[in-house]
Amino acid sequence: MTGTEAPSSFRLAYVPGATPAKWVRIWQERLPDVPLDLVAVSAAEAEDALRRGDADAGLVRLPVDRPYFSAIPLYTETTVVVVPKDHVIAAVDEVTAADLADEVVFHPLDDTLAWENPPGRPGFERPATTADAIELVAANVGLLIVPQSLARLHHRRDLTYRTVTDVPQSQVALAWPEERTTDRVEDFIGIVRGRTVNSTRGRKPAEEPKARRAPASGAGAGASQRRGGGGGKQQAGKPARRGGGGVSQGARRGKPRRRS
């Protein structure tokens, strides 16, 4: 159900690593009179924030609770392993899960990857957050596997990262409660989908005016002929009229007139 009243502002939640800047800029260009407020939430708290109404929609990591939430997948991130710069892995471009079998690999409590069999050897504890795990990697205690955006977010000069080719990946999506699909949510959907300013935003377009009907067979044609629109053609079924133009029959035949 689409809401008929749009709020005075639009609140967009976003999880760590998500980058809403491009879409925020387009929003400000198209809707300069409608403020867009950014609400930072953790990946674990994103769904609850949307349920409570703390934001109208959010850039979240899949999966989400369906069908309570509608979601539009936006992109899939590369998964990387974060290592110290002097680690042997830093010398290659990419690795596999098997290459990490003998390494201590941390899986923080806010891990966003859906693991069935996490690679590597487990750490002595699970760090509470990704930021805590980054500190342990910097201390040369173990390694960390995360979506690439989180590796960039927690960048340090003494750390680097490399692609891991055969592990789960994280998908970022635009999500919102289905029952609160407002006009402002539709506006933002149009932006992330790349719709133009004049797009109907998924709504039913206004009905075009009906084309003027063509004249019925016979009626219109006869009317045009009666108005003299036949180009001088003789009407069907009627003999041509003689003696037109005020000229006598005798003069037309070349006979002289009798004098009185």
Side-chain angles (χ1 to χ4, degrees):
M1 181 175 65
T2 302
T4 56
E5 295 184 1
S8 58
S9 65
F10 180 72
R11 297 161 299 168
L12 179 68
Y14 68 100
V15 298
T19 52
K22 176 182 69 174
W23 297 310
V24 170
R25 183 177 66 254
I26 297 173
W27 178 280
Q28 293 170 341
E29 292 171 354
R30 294 188 182 181
L31 300 164
D33 297 329
V34 182
L36 190 154
D37 301 325
L38 292 175
V39 182
V41 296
S42 69
E45 296 173 344
E47 287 193 30
D48 288 340
L50 292 173
R51 290 178 188 272
R52 292 193 304 265
D54 295 346
D56 303 295
L59 300 178
V60 304
R61 295 189 183 276
L62 296 179
V64 293
D65 180 15
R66 302 277 193 127
Y68 184 86
F69 290 103
S70 292
I72 300 173
L74 300 177
Y75 56 89
T76 300
E77 288 199 63
T78 299
T79 303
V80 301
V81 57
V82 181
V83 302
K85 278 192 172 181
D86 58 356
H87 196 281
V88 63
I89 288 177
V92 299
D93 293 330
E94 59 185 32
V95 295
T96 65
D99 295 328
L100 305 175
D102 296 329
E103 302 285 348
V104 173
V105 179
F106 293 111
H107 300 283
L109 296 177
D110 64 354
D111 191 357
T112 60
L113 300 171
W115 296 106
E116 291 185 4
N117 298 301
R121 297 185 290 115
F124 57 90
E125 64 177 356
R126 291 193 67 184
T129 66
T130 298
D132 293 336
I134 290 287
E135 293 295 331
L136 293 173
V137 176
N140 210 14
V141 178
L143 310 181
L144 173 66
I145 300 178
V146 290
Q148 183 171 316
S149 66
L150 291 182
R152 290 174 175 171
L153 179 66
H154 298 285
H155 171 71
R156 290 175 52 126
R157 291 183 179 181
D158 54 346
L159 300 179
T160 188
Y161 58 84
R162 295 292 183 266
T163 300
V164 188
T165 60
D166 57 350
V167 294
Q169 294 178 309
S170 177
Q171 274 190 303
V172 174
L174 175 66
W176 68 95
E178 171 66 29
E179 63 182 10
R180 298 202 298 270
T181 307
T182 65
D183 287 349
R184 292 295 178 233
V185 171
E186 289 283 6
D187 286 330
F188 198 78
I189 292 171
I191 288 173
V192 300
R193 285 192 181 278
R195 294 174 186 161
T196 62
V197 176
N198 297 324
S199 170
T200 57
R201 302 179 302 172
R203 302 190 184 103
K204 183 179 179 181
E207 185 176 351
E208 295 182 359
K210 294 181 179 180
R212 185 177 298 176
R213 291 183 178 180
S217 176
S224 70
Q225 288 181 354
R226 284 195 299 272
R227 289 193 295 267
K233 292 182 180 180
Q234 176 181 329
Q235 293 186 14
K238 293 185 179 181
R241 301 174 69 183
R242 296 181 179 178
V247 181
S248 68
Q249 292 181 3
R252 199 168 50 248
R253 293 172 184 169
K255 293 182 179 181
R257 292 181 181 182
R258 296 176 63 183
R259 295 181 179 179
S260 56

